[in-house]
Coordinates of all heavy atoms in Angstrom, one line a residue:
M1 N 13.6 49.2 -99.4 CA 13.1 48.0 -98.7 C 13.9 46.7 -99.0 O 14.2 45.9 -98.2 CB 11.6 47.8 -99.1 CG 10.7 47.0 -98.2 SD 11.1 47.0 -96.3 CE 10.1 48.2 -95.8
F2 N 14.2 46.5 -100.4 CA 14.8 45.2 -100.7 C 16.3 45.2 -100.5 O 17.0 45.3 -101.5 CB 14.4 44.9 -102.2 CG 13.3 44.0 -102.2 CD1 12.0 44.6 -102.4 CD2 13.3 42.6 -102.1 CE1 10.9 43.7 -102.4 CE2 12.2 41.8 -102.2 CZ 11.0 42.4 -102.4
R3 N 16.7 45.3 -99.2 CA 18.1 45.2 -99.0 C 18.4 44.5 -97.7 O 17.5 44.6 -96.8 CB 18.9 46.6 -99.0 CG 18.2 47.5 -97.9 CD 18.8 48.9 -98.2 NE 18.1 49.8 -97.1 CZ 18.7 50.0 -96.0 NH1 19.8 49.6 -95.6 NH2 17.9 50.8 -95.1
L4 N 19.6 43.9 -97.4 CA 19.9 43.3 -96.2 C 20.1 44.3 -95.2 O 20.6 45.3 -95.3 CB 21.1 42.4 -96.5 CG 20.8 41.2 -97.3 CD1 22.0 40.5 -98.0 CD2 19.9 40.1 -96.6
P5 N 19.9 43.8 -93.9 CA 20.1 44.7 -92.8 C 21.6 45.1 -92.6 O 22.5 44.3 -92.9 CB 19.5 44.0 -91.5 CG 19.5 42.6 -91.9 CD 19.4 42.5 -93.4
V6 N 21.7 46.2 -91.9 CA 23.2 46.6 -91.5 C 23.3 46.8 -90.0 O 22.3 47.0 -89.3 CB 23.6 47.9 -92.2 CG1 23.7 47.7 -93.7 CG2 22.7 49.1 -91.9
C7 N 24.5 46.7 -89.4 CA 24.7 47.1 -88.0 C 24.3 48.5 -87.8 O 24.8 49.4 -88.5 CB 26.1 46.7 -87.7 SG 26.7 47.4 -86.0
P8 N 23.5 48.8 -86.7 CA 23.1 50.2 -86.5 C 24.2 51.0 -85.9 O 24.2 52.2 -85.9 CB 21.9 50.0 -85.5 CG 22.1 48.7 -84.8 CD 22.8 47.8 -85.8
H9 N 25.4 50.4 -85.5 CA 26.5 51.1 -84.9 C 27.5 51.4 -86.0 O 27.9 52.6 -86.1 CB 27.1 50.3 -83.8 CG 26.1 49.9 -82.8 ND1 25.7 50.8 -81.8 CD2 25.4 48.8 -82.4 CE1 24.8 50.2 -81.0 NE2 24.6 49.0 -81.4
C10 N 28.1 50.4 -86.8 CA 29.1 50.5 -87.7 C 28.7 50.5 -89.1 O 29.5 50.5 -90.0 CB 30.3 49.7 -87.3 SG 29.8 47.9 -87.5
K11 N 27.4 50.1 -89.4 CA 26.9 50.0 -90.8 C 27.5 48.9 -91.6 O 27.4 48.7 -92.8 CB 27.1 51.3 -91.6 CG 26.6 52.5 -91.0 CD 25.0 52.6 -91.0 CE 24.6 53.8 -90.3 NZ 23.4 53.5 -89.5
T12 N 28.0 47.8 -90.8 CA 28.5 46.6 -91.5 C 27.3 45.9 -92.0 O 26.3 45.7 -91.5 CB 29.2 45.7 -90.4 OG1 30.3 46.3 -89.9 CG2 29.6 44.3 -91.1
V13 N 27.4 45.4 -93.3 CA 26.3 44.8 -94.0 C 26.4 43.3 -93.8 O 27.4 42.7 -93.8 CB 26.3 45.0 -95.5 CG1 25.1 44.3 -96.2 CG2 26.4 46.5 -95.9
Y14 N 25.2 42.8 -93.4 CA 25.2 41.3 -93.0 C 24.8 40.5 -94.3 O 23.9 41.0 -95.0 CB 24.2 41.1 -91.9 CG 24.9 41.4 -90.6 CD1 25.1 42.7 -90.1 CD2 25.4 40.4 -89.9 CE1 25.7 43.0 -88.9 CE2 26.2 40.7 -88.7 CZ 26.3 41.9 -88.2 OH 27.0 42.3 -87.1
S15 N 25.3 39.4 -94.5 CA 25.0 38.5 -95.7 C 23.7 37.7 -95.3 O 23.2 37.7 -94.2 CB 26.1 37.5 -95.9 OG 26.1 36.5 -94.9
Y16 N 23.1 37.3 -96.4 CA 21.7 36.6 -96.3 C 21.8 35.4 -95.3 O 20.9 35.4 -94.4 CB 21.4 36.0 -97.7 CG 20.1 35.4 -97.8 CD1 19.0 36.1 -98.1 CD2 20.0 34.0 -97.6 CE1 17.7 35.5 -98.1 CE2 18.8 33.4 -97.6 CZ 17.6 34.1 -98.0 OH 16.4 33.6 -98.0
K17 N 22.9 34.7 -95.3 CA 23.1 33.5 -94.5 C 23.3 34.0 -92.9 O 22.7 33.3 -92.0 CB 24.4 32.7 -94.8 CG 24.3 31.3 -94.5 CD 25.5 30.5 -95.0 CE 25.7 29.4 -94.2 NZ 27.2 29.1 -93.8
E18 N 24.0 35.1 -92.7 CA 24.2 35.6 -91.4 C 22.8 36.1 -90.8 O 22.6 35.8 -89.6 CB 25.3 36.7 -91.5 CG 26.6 36.3 -91.6 CD 27.6 37.4 -92.1 OE1 27.2 38.4 -92.6 OE2 28.8 37.1 -92.1
V19 N 22.1 36.7 -91.6 CA 20.8 37.3 -91.2 C 20.0 36.1 -90.8 O 19.3 36.1 -89.7 CB 20.1 38.1 -92.3 CG1 18.7 38.5 -91.8 CG2 21.0 39.3 -92.6
K20 N 19.9 35.0 -91.5 CA 19.1 33.8 -91.1 C 19.6 33.2 -89.9 O 18.7 32.9 -89.0 CB 19.2 32.7 -92.3 CG 18.4 33.1 -93.4 CD 17.7 31.7 -94.0 CE 16.2 32.0 -94.3 NZ 15.6 30.9 -94.9
E21 N 20.8 33.1 -89.6 CA 21.4 32.6 -88.4 C 21.1 33.6 -87.2 O 20.8 33.1 -86.1 CB 22.9 32.5 -88.6 CG 23.1 31.0 -89.1 CD 24.5 30.9 -89.6 OE1 25.4 31.6 -89.1 OE2 24.9 30.0 -90.4
N22 N 21.2 34.8 -87.5 CA 20.8 35.8 -86.4 C 19.4 35.8 -86.0 O 19.0 36.3 -85.0 CB 21.3 37.2 -86.9 CG 22.8 37.4 -86.9 OD1 23.5 36.7 -86.2 ND2 23.3 38.4 -87.6
N23 N 18.6 35.4 -86.9 CA 17.0 35.3 -86.6 C 16.8 34.5 -85.4 O 15.8 34.7 -84.9 CB 16.3 34.8 -87.8 CG 16.0 35.9 -88.8 OD1 16.1 37.1 -88.5 ND2 15.5 35.6 -89.9
K24 N 17.6 33.5 -85.1 CA 17.4 32.7 -84.0 C 17.7 33.4 -82.6 O 17.2 33.0 -81.6 CB 18.3 31.4 -84.1 CG 17.9 30.6 -85.2 CD 19.0 29.5 -85.5 CE 19.0 28.9 -86.8 NZ 20.3 28.4 -87.3
K25 N 18.4 34.5 -82.6 CA 18.8 35.2 -81.4 C 18.0 36.4 -81.3 O 17.5 37.0 -82.3 CB 20.3 35.6 -81.5 CG 21.2 34.5 -81.8 CD 22.6 35.1 -82.1 CE 23.4 34.1 -83.1 NZ 24.5 34.8 -83.7
K26 N 17.9 36.8 -80.0 CA 17.1 38.0 -79.8 C 18.1 39.2 -79.7 O 17.7 40.4 -80.3 CB 16.5 38.0 -78.4 CG 15.0 38.3 -78.4 CD 14.3 38.1 -77.0 CE 12.9 38.6 -77.2 NZ 12.1 38.3 -76.0
V27 N 19.2 39.0 -79.1 CA 20.2 40.1 -79.1 C 21.4 39.6 -79.9 O 22.0 38.5 -79.8 CB 20.7 40.5 -77.7 CG1 21.8 41.5 -77.6 CG2 19.5 40.9 -76.8
I28 N 21.8 40.5 -80.9 CA 22.9 40.0 -81.7 C 24.2 40.9 -81.5 O 24.1 42.1 -81.2 CB 22.5 40.3 -83.2 CG1 21.2 39.4 -83.5 CG2 23.6 39.8 -84.2 CD1 20.3 40.1 -84.4
K29 N 25.3 40.3 -81.5 CA 26.6 41.0 -81.2 C 27.3 41.1 -82.7 O 27.5 40.1 -83.3 CB 27.5 40.2 -80.3 CG 28.6 41.1 -79.7 CD 29.3 40.3 -78.6 CE 30.2 41.1 -77.9 NZ 31.0 40.4 -76.9
C30 N 27.6 42.4 -83.0 CA 28.2 42.7 -84.3 C 29.6 42.0 -84.3 O 30.4 42.2 -83.3 CB 28.3 44.2 -84.5 SG 29.1 44.6 -86.0
Y31 N 29.9 41.3 -85.4 CA 31.1 40.7 -85.4 C 32.3 41.7 -85.8 O 33.4 41.4 -85.6 CB 31.2 39.6 -86.5 CG 31.0 40.1 -87.9 CD1 32.0 40.6 -88.7 CD2 29.8 40.0 -88.5 CE1 31.8 41.0 -90.0 CE2 29.5 40.5 -89.8 CZ 30.6 41.0 -90.6 OH 30.4 41.4 -91.9
H32 N 31.9 42.8 -86.2 CA 32.8 43.8 -86.6 C 33.1 44.8 -85.4 O 34.3 45.0 -85.1 CB 32.3 44.7 -87.9 CG 33.2 45.6 -88.4 ND1 33.2 46.9 -88.3 CD2 34.4 45.5 -89.0 CE1 34.1 47.6 -88.9 NE2 35.0 46.7 -89.4
C33 N 32.2 45.5 -84.9 CA 32.3 46.5 -83.8 C 32.2 46.0 -82.4 O 32.3 46.7 -81.5 CB 31.6 47.8 -84.1 SG 29.7 47.5 -83.9
K34 N 31.7 44.7 -82.3 CA 31.4 44.0 -81.1 C 30.3 44.6 -80.2 O 30.1 44.3 -79.0 CB 32.7 43.9 -80.2 CG 33.9 43.3 -81.0 CD 33.8 41.8 -81.0 CE 35.0 41.2 -81.8 NZ 34.8 40.7 -83.2
K35 N 29.5 45.6 -80.7 CA 28.5 46.1 -80.0 C 27.2 45.3 -80.3 O 27.0 44.6 -81.2 CB 28.2 47.6 -80.5 CG 29.2 48.5 -80.0 CD 29.0 49.9 -80.5 CE 30.1 50.9 -80.1 NZ 30.0 52.1 -80.9
E36 N 26.3 45.4 -79.3 CA 25.0 44.6 -79.4 C 23.9 45.4 -80.0 O 23.8 46.6 -79.8 CB 24.7 44.1 -78.0 CG 25.5 43.0 -77.5 CD 25.1 42.4 -76.2 OE1 24.4 43.1 -75.4 OE2 25.6 41.4 -75.8
F37 N 23.0 44.6 -80.6 CA 21.8 45.3 -81.2 C 20.7 44.3 -81.2 O 20.9 43.0 -81.1 CB 22.1 45.9 -82.5 CG 22.6 45.0 -83.6 CD1 21.9 44.1 -84.5 CD2 24.0 45.0 -83.8 CE1 22.5 43.3 -85.3 CE2 24.7 44.1 -84.7 CZ 23.8 43.2 -85.5
R38 N 19.4 44.7 -81.5 CA 18.3 43.8 -81.4 C 17.7 43.6 -82.9 O 18.0 44.4 -83.7 CB 17.1 44.3 -80.6 CG 17.5 44.3 -79.2 CD 16.3 44.9 -78.3 NE 16.1 46.3 -78.7 CZ 14.9 46.7 -79.1 NH1 14.0 45.9 -79.4 NH2 14.6 48.1 -79.4
N39 N 17.0 42.5 -83.1 CA 16.4 42.1 -84.4 C 15.1 42.9 -84.5 O 14.2 42.7 -83.6 CB 16.2 40.6 -84.2 CG 16.5 39.9 -85.5 OD1 16.6 40.4 -86.5 ND2 16.8 38.6 -85.3
G40 N 15.0 43.6 -85.5 CA 13.7 44.3 -85.6 C 12.9 43.5 -86.7 O 13.2 43.4 -87.9
R41 N 11.7 42.9 -86.2 CA 10.9 42.0 -87.0 C 9.7 42.7 -87.6 O 8.8 42.0 -88.2 CB 10.5 40.8 -86.2 CG 11.7 39.9 -85.9 CD 11.3 38.8 -84.8 NE 12.5 38.3 -84.2 CZ 13.0 37.1 -84.6 NH1 12.5 36.5 -85.5 NH2 14.0 36.7 -84.0
S42 N 9.5 44.0 -87.4 CA 8.2 44.7 -87.8 C 8.0 44.5 -89.3 O 6.9 44.5 -89.8 CB 8.3 46.0 -87.3 OG 9.4 46.7 -87.6
G43 N 9.1 44.5 -90.1 CA 9.1 44.4 -91.5 C 8.4 43.1 -92.0 O 7.8 43.0 -93.1
I44 N 8.5 42.1 -91.1 CA 8.0 40.8 -91.5 C 6.5 40.8 -91.8 O 5.9 40.2 -92.6 CB 8.4 39.8 -90.5 CG1 9.9 39.4 -90.6 CG2 7.6 38.3 -90.8 CD1 10.5 38.5 -89.5
I45 N 5.8 41.8 -90.9 CA 4.3 41.8 -91.0 C 4.0 42.4 -92.4 O 3.1 42.0 -93.0 CB 3.8 42.7 -89.9 CG1 4.1 42.1 -88.5 CG2 2.3 43.0 -90.1 CD1 4.1 43.0 -87.4
L46 N 4.8 43.4 -92.8 CA 4.6 44.0 -94.1 C 4.8 43.0 -95.2 O 4.1 42.8 -96.1 CB 5.6 45.1 -94.3 CG 5.6 45.9 -95.7 CD1 4.4 46.7 -95.9 CD2 6.8 46.7 -95.9
L47 N 5.8 42.1 -95.0 CA 6.2 41.1 -96.1 C 5.0 40.1 -96.1 O 4.5 39.7 -97.2 CB 7.4 40.3 -95.6 CG 7.8 39.1 -96.4 CD1 8.1 39.4 -97.9 CD2 8.9 38.4 -95.8
A48 N 4.4 39.8 -95.0 CA 3.3 38.8 -94.9 C 2.1 39.4 -95.6 O 1.3 38.7 -96.3 CB 2.9 38.4 -93.5
V49 N 1.8 40.7 -95.4 CA 0.7 41.4 -96.1 C 0.9 41.3 -97.6 O 0.0 41.0 -98.3 CB 0.6 42.8 -95.5 CG1 -0.4 43.6 -96.4 CG2 0.1 42.8 -94.1
I50 N 2.2 41.6 -98.0 CA 2.5 41.6 -99.5 C 2.2 40.3 -100.1 O 1.6 40.1 -101.1 CB 3.9 42.1 -99.7 CG1 4.0 43.6 -99.3 CG2 4.3 42.0 -101.2 CD1 5.4 44.2 -99.3
V51 N 2.7 39.2 -99.4 CA 2.6 37.8 -99.9 C 1.2 37.3 -100.0 O 0.8 36.8 -101.0 CB 3.5 36.8 -98.9 CG1 3.1 35.3 -99.3 CG2 4.9 37.1 -99.1
C52 N 0.5 37.7 -98.9 CA -1.0 37.3 -98.9 C -1.7 38.0 -100.2 O -2.5 37.5 -100.8 CB -1.7 37.7 -97.7 SG -1.2 36.6 -96.3
F53 N -1.4 39.3 -100.3 CA -2.1 40.1 -101.3 C -1.7 39.5 -102.7 O -2.7 39.3 -103.6 CB -1.6 41.6 -101.2 CG -2.2 42.5 -102.1 CD1 -3.5 42.9 -102.0 CD2 -1.6 42.9 -103.3 CE1 -4.2 43.8 -102.9 CE2 -2.2 43.8 -104.2 CZ -3.5 44.1 -104.0
V54 N -0.5 39.2 -103.0 CA 0.0 38.7 -104.2 C -0.7 37.4 -104.5 O -1.2 37.2 -105.6 CB 1.5 38.6 -104.3 CG1 2.0 37.9 -105.7 CG2 2.1 40.1 -104.3
A55 N -0.7 36.5 -103.5 CA -1.3 35.1 -103.6 C -2.8 35.3 -104.1 O -3.3 34.6 -104.9 CB -1.0 34.3 -102.4
A56 N -3.4 36.1 -103.3 CA -4.9 36.4 -103.5 C -5.2 36.9 -104.9 O -6.1 36.4 -105.6 CB -5.3 37.3 -102.5
M57 N -4.3 37.9 -105.4 CA -4.4 38.4 -106.7 C -4.3 37.3 -107.8 O -5.0 37.3 -108.7 CB -3.4 39.5 -106.9 CG -3.7 40.8 -106.3 SD -5.1 41.6 -107.1 CE -6.1 42.0 -105.7
I58 N -3.3 36.5 -107.6 CA -3.0 35.4 -108.6 C -4.2 34.4 -108.6 O -4.7 34.1 -109.7 CB -1.7 34.6 -108.3 CG1 -0.5 35.5 -108.4 CG2 -1.5 33.4 -109.2 CD1 0.8 35.0 -107.9
N59 N -4.7 34.1 -107.4 CA -5.9 33.2 -107.4 C -7.2 33.9 -108.0 O -7.8 33.1 -108.8 CB -6.2 32.7 -106.0 CG -5.1 31.8 -105.5 OD1 -4.5 31.1 -106.2 ND2 -4.8 31.8 -104.1
V60 N -7.4 35.1 -107.7 CA -8.5 35.8 -108.3 C -8.4 35.9 -109.9 O -9.3 35.6 -110.6 CB -8.7 37.2 -107.7 CG1 -9.7 38.1 -108.5 CG2 -9.1 37.1 -106.3
F61 N -7.1 36.2 -110.4 CA -6.8 36.2 -111.7 C -7.1 34.8 -112.4 O -7.8 34.8 -113.4 CB -5.4 36.6 -111.9 CG -4.9 36.6 -113.4 CD1 -5.3 37.6 -114.2 CD2 -4.2 35.7 -113.9 CE1 -4.9 37.7 -115.6 CE2 -3.8 35.7 -115.3 CZ -4.1 36.6 -116.0
L62 N -6.7 33.7 -111.8 CA -6.9 32.5 -112.3 C -8.4 32.1 -112.4 O -8.9 31.6 -113.4 CB -6.2 31.4 -111.5 CG -4.7 31.3 -111.7 CD1 -4.0 30.3 -110.9 CD2 -4.3 31.0 -113.3
L63 N -9.0 32.5 -111.3 CA -10.5 32.2 -111.3 C -11.4 33.0 -112.3 O -12.3 32.5 -112.9 CB -11.1 32.5 -109.9 CG -10.7 31.6 -108.8 CD1 -11.1 32.1 -107.4 CD2 -11.4 30.2 -108.9
N64 N -10.9 34.2 -112.6 CA -11.5 35.0 -113.6 C -11.3 34.7 -115.1 O -12.0 34.9 -115.9 CB -11.2 36.5 -113.3 CG -12.0 37.0 -112.2 OD1 -13.0 36.5 -111.7 ND2 -11.4 38.1 -111.6
T65 N -10.0 34.2 -115.3 CA -9.6 33.9 -116.6 C -10.0 32.5 -117.1 O -10.0 32.2 -118.3 CB -8.0 34.0 -116.8 OG1 -7.4 33.3 -115.8 CG2 -7.7 35.5 -116.8
T66 N -10.4 31.6 -116.2 CA -10.9 30.3 -116.6 C -12.4 30.3 -116.8 O -13.1 30.4 -115.7 CB -10.4 29.3 -115.5 OG1 -9.1 29.6 -115.1 CG2 -10.3 27.8 -116.1
S67 N -12.9 29.9 -117.9 CA -14.3 29.9 -118.2 C -15.0 28.8 -117.5 O -16.1 29.0 -117.0 CB -14.5 30.0 -119.6 OG -13.8 29.1 -120.4
D68 N -14.5 27.6 -117.7 CA -15.1 26.4 -117.1 C -14.6 26.4 -115.6 O -13.8 27.2 -115.2 CB -14.8 25.2 -117.8 CG -13.3 25.0 -118.2 OD1 -12.5 25.6 -117.4 OD2 -12.9 24.2 -119.0
N69 N -15.1 25.4 -114.9 CA -14.7 25.2 -113.5 C -13.5 24.3 -113.4 O -13.4 23.5 -112.6 CB -15.8 24.6 -112.7 CG -17.0 25.6 -112.6 OD1 -16.6 26.9 -112.4 ND2 -18.2 25.1 -112.5
F70 N -12.5 24.5 -114.3 CA -11.3 23.8 -114.3 C -10.5 24.0 -113.0 O -9.9 23.1 -112.5 CB -10.5 24.1 -115.5 CG -9.1 23.5 -115.6 CD1 -8.9 22.1 -115.8 CD2 -8.0 24.3 -115.4 CE1 -7.7 21.6 -115.8 CE2 -6.8 23.7 -115.5 CZ -6.6 22.4 -115.7
I71 N -10.5 25.3 -112.6 CA -9.7 25.6 -111.4 C -10.3 24.9 -110.2 O -11.4 25.2 -109.8 CB -9.6 27.1 -111.3 CG1 -8.9 27.8 -112.4 CG2 -9.1 27.6 -109.9 CD1 -7.3 27.6 -112.2
S72 N -9.5 24.1 -109.6 CA -9.9 23.4 -108.3 C -9.1 24.0 -107.2 O -8.4 24.9 -107.3 CB -9.7 22.0 -108.5 OG -8.3 21.7 -108.6
I73 N -9.3 23.4 -106.0 CA -8.6 23.8 -104.8 C -7.1 23.5 -104.9 O -6.3 24.1 -104.2 CB -9.3 23.1 -103.6 CG1 -8.9 23.8 -102.3 CG2 -9.0 21.5 -103.5 CD1 -9.7 25.0 -102.0
I74 N -6.7 22.5 -105.8 CA -5.3 22.1 -105.8 C -4.4 23.3 -106.4 O -3.5 23.6 -105.7 CB -5.1 20.8 -106.6 CG1 -5.9 19.7 -105.8 CG2 -3.7 20.4 -106.8 CD1 -6.3 18.4 -106.6
P75 N -4.7 23.8 -107.5 CA -3.7 24.9 -108.0 C -3.7 26.1 -107.0 O -2.7 26.8 -106.8 CB -4.2 25.3 -109.4 CG -5.5 24.7 -109.4 CD -5.6 23.5 -108.6
I76 N -4.9 26.4 -106.4 CA -5.0 27.5 -105.5 C -4.1 27.2 -104.3 O -3.3 28.1 -103.7 CB -6.4 27.8 -105.1 CG1 -7.2 28.4 -106.3 CG2 -6.5 28.8 -103.9 CD1 -8.6 28.6 -106.2
S77 N -4.2 26.0 -103.8 CA -3.3 25.6 -102.6 C -1.8 25.7 -103.0 O -1.0 26.2 -102.2 CB -3.6 24.2 -102.2 OG -5.1 24.0 -102.1
V78 N -1.5 25.2 -104.3 CA -0.1 25.1 -104.6 C 0.4 26.7 -104.8 O 1.5 26.9 -104.3 CB 0.0 24.4 -106.1 CG1 1.4 24.7 -106.7 CG2 -0.2 23.0 -105.8
I79 N -0.3 27.5 -105.3 CA 0.0 28.9 -105.4 C 0.3 29.4 -104.1 O 1.3 30.2 -103.9 CB -1.0 29.8 -106.3 CG1 -0.9 29.3 -107.8 CG2 -0.8 31.2 -106.2 CD1 -2.2 29.7 -108.6
S80 N -0.6 29.2 -103.1 CA -0.5 29.8 -101.9 C 0.8 29.3 -101.2 O 1.4 30.1 -100.5 CB -1.7 29.4 -101.0 OG -2.9 29.9 -101.6
I81 N 1.0 27.9 -101.3 CA 2.2 27.4 -100.7 C 3.5 28.0 -101.3 O 4.4 28.3 -100.6 CB 2.2 25.8 -100.8 CG1 1.1 25.2 -99.9 CG2 3.5 25.3 -100.5 CD1 0.7 23.8 -100.3
I82 N 3.5 28.1 -102.6 CA 4.7 28.8 -103.3 C 4.8 30.2 -102.8 O 6.0 30.6 -102.5 CB 4.5 28.6 -104.8 CG1 4.6 27.2 -105.3 CG2 5.6 29.6 -105.5 CD1 4.2 27.0 -106.8
A83 N 3.8 30.9 -102.7 CA 3.8 32.4 -102.2 C 4.4 32.4 -100.7 O 5.2 33.2 -100.5 CB 2.4 33.0 -102.2
V84 N 4.0 31.5 -100.0 CA 4.6 31.4 -98.6 C 6.0 31.1 -98.6 O 6.8 31.7 -97.8 CB 3.7 30.3 -97.8 CG1 4.5 30.1 -96.3 CG2 2.3 30.9 -97.4
L85 N 6.4 30.1 -99.4 CA 7.9 29.7 -99.5 C 8.7 30.9 -100.0 O 9.9 31.2 -99.4 CB 8.0 28.5 -100.4 CG 7.5 27.1 -99.8 CD1 7.6 26.1 -100.9 CD2 8.3 26.8 -98.5
I86 N 8.2 31.5 -101.0 CA 8.9 32.7 -101.5 C 9.1 33.8 -100.4 O 10.1 34.4 -100.2 CB 8.3 33.3 -102.7 CG1 8.5 32.3 -104.0 CG2 8.9 34.7 -103.2 CD1 7.6 32.5 -105.2
G87 N 7.9 34.0 -99.7 CA 7.9 35.0 -98.6 C 8.9 34.6 -97.6 O 9.7 35.5 -97.0
M88 N 9.1 33.4 -97.2 CA 10.0 32.9 -96.2 C 11.5 33.2 -96.6 O 12.4 33.6 -95.9 CB 9.8 31.5 -95.9 CG 8.6 31.2 -94.9 SD 8.3 29.5 -94.8 CE 9.3 29.1 -93.5
L89 N 11.7 33.0 -98.0 CA 13.0 33.3 -98.6 C 13.4 34.8 -98.5 O 14.6 35.2 -98.5 CB 13.1 32.8 -100.0 CG 13.1 31.3 -100.2 CD1 13.0 30.9 -101.7 CD2 14.4 30.6 -99.7
L90 N 12.4 35.6 -98.5 CA 12.6 37.1 -98.6 C 12.7 37.7 -97.2 O 13.0 38.9 -97.0 CB 11.4 37.8 -99.3 CG 11.4 37.4 -100.8 CD1 10.1 38.1 -101.4 CD2 12.6 38.0 -101.5
I91 N 12.4 36.9 -96.1 CA 12.4 37.5 -94.7 C 13.7 38.2 -94.4 O 13.6 39.4 -93.9 CB 12.2 36.3 -93.6 CG1 10.7 35.9 -93.7 CG2 12.6 36.7 -92.3 CD1 10.4 34.7 -92.8
P92 N 15.0 37.7 -94.7 CA 16.1 38.5 -94.4 C 16.2 39.9 -95.0 O 16.7 40.8 -94.4 CB 17.3 37.7 -94.9 CG 16.8 36.3 -94.8 CD 15.3 36.4 -95.2
F93 N 15.5 40.1 -96.1 CA 15.5 41.4 -96.7 C 14.6 42.4 -96.0 O 14.5 43.6 -96.3 CB 15.0 41.4 -98.2 CG 16.1 40.5 -99.0 CD1 15.9 39.3 -99.3 CD2 17.1 41.2 -99.6 CE1 16.8 38.5 -100.1 CE2 18.1 40.5 -100.2 CZ 17.9 39.2 -100.5
F94 N 13.7 41.9 -95.2 CA 12.7 42.8 -94.4 C 13.1 42.9 -92.9 O 12.3 43.5 -92.2 CB 11.2 42.1 -94.6 CG 10.6 42.4 -96.0 CD1 11.1 41.6 -97.0 CD2 9.8 43.4 -96.1 CE1 10.5 41.9 -98.3 CE2 9.3 43.7 -97.4 CZ 9.6 42.9 -98.4
I95 N 14.3 42.3 -92.5 CA 14.6 42.5 -91.2 C 15.5 43.8 -91.1 O 16.3 44.1 -91.9 CB 15.5 41.3 -90.8 CG1 14.7 40.0 -90.7 CG2 16.3 41.5 -89.5 CD1 14.2 39.5 -89.5
R96 N 15.3 44.5 -89.9 CA 16.1 45.7 -89.7 C 16.7 45.6 -88.3 O 16.1 45.2 -87.3 CB 15.2 46.9 -89.8 CG 14.8 47.3 -91.3 CD 16.1 47.7 -92.1 NE 15.7 47.7 -93.5 CZ 16.0 46.6 -94.2 NH1 16.5 45.5 -93.8 NH2 15.8 46.6 -95.5
Y97 N 18.0 45.9 -88.2 CA 18.6 45.8 -86.9 C 18.5 47.2 -86.2 O 18.6 48.2 -86.7 CB 20.1 45.4 -87.0 CG 20.3 44.0 -87.5 CD1 21.4 43.6 -88.2 CD2 19.2 43.1 -87.2 CE1 21.5 42.3 -88.6 CE2 19.5 41.7 -87.6 CZ 20.5 41.3 -88.3 OH 20.7 40.1 -88.7
K98 N 18.1 47.1 -85.0 CA 17.9 48.3 -84.1 C 18.9 48.4 -82.9 O 19.2 47.3 -82.3 CB 16.4 48.3 -83.6 CG 15.5 48.5 -84.8 CD 14.0 48.6 -84.2 CE 13.5 47.2 -83.6 NZ 12.1 47.2 -83.3
K99 N 19.1 49.5 -82.4 CA 20.1 49.7 -81.3 C 19.4 49.2 -80.0 O 18.2 49.4 -79.9 CB 20.5 51.1 -81.2 CG 21.7 51.5 -82.1 CD 22.1 52.9 -82.1 CE 22.8 53.3 -83.2 NZ 23.2 54.8 -83.3
Ligands
ZN101 ZN1 28.9 46.9 -85.9

């Protein structure tokens, strides 16, 4: 799962930056073999589920380990925002290129 996508025709590996740029396009042309392929975004749903699950787990853990009502909405919001940002950084690792 944790690897960058490759060209489905010639198996050229795309760099993190290239994948981010390719995300804007629907049809991508391989710079190596010049053949076209599509962006497979189905892995992003899986990534979103993982990020939501991890963020929820951290929040539940914090709520359970704090005896007083010290935990407020602010740290929970901060954790959720950090989780979303990390998730966005991981998007290129969950993209798969399809013919
Ligand atoms: Zn190619």
Side-chain angles (χ1 to χ4, degrees):
M1 197 35 89
F2 269 92
R3 59 190 178 90
L4 289 162
V6 295
C7 170
H9 304 282
C10 67
K11 308 288 177 221
T12 297
V13 182
Y14 280 79
S15 75
Y16 186 88
K17 208 179 154 219
E18 286 162 344
V19 176
K20 281 217 133 180
E21 276 166 20
N22 285 344
N23 273 347
K24 295 168 196 157
K25 308 168 204 165
K26 229 175 177 176
V27 177
I28 303 144
K29 198 173 186 180
C30 179
Y31 66 83
H32 187 248
C33 66
K34 309 284 183 246
K35 283 177 186 167
E36 287 182 343
F37 53 85
R38 287 182 300 120
N39 225 336
R41 292 164 196 266
S42 52
I44 293 173
I45 298 160
L46 176 72
L47 173 64
V49 170
I50 294 169
V51 167
C52 290
F53 183 75
V54 170
M57 280 294 133
I58 295 167
N59 285 333
V60 167
F61 176 76
L62 283 178
L63 285 169
N64 285 339
T65 48
T66 321
S67 49
D68 49 18
N69 288 329
F70 172 72
I71 290 287
S72 67
I73 195 80
I74 295 158
I76 289 173
S77 315
V78 169
I79 288 162
S80 304
I81 291 164
I82 291 168
V84 168
L85 289 175
I86 291 168
M88 284 169 82
L89 290 173
L90 292 175
I91 283 174
F93 294 97
F94 283 80
I95 296 256
R96 286 295 163 265
Y97 291 154
K98 295 181 288 188
K99 280 179 194 173

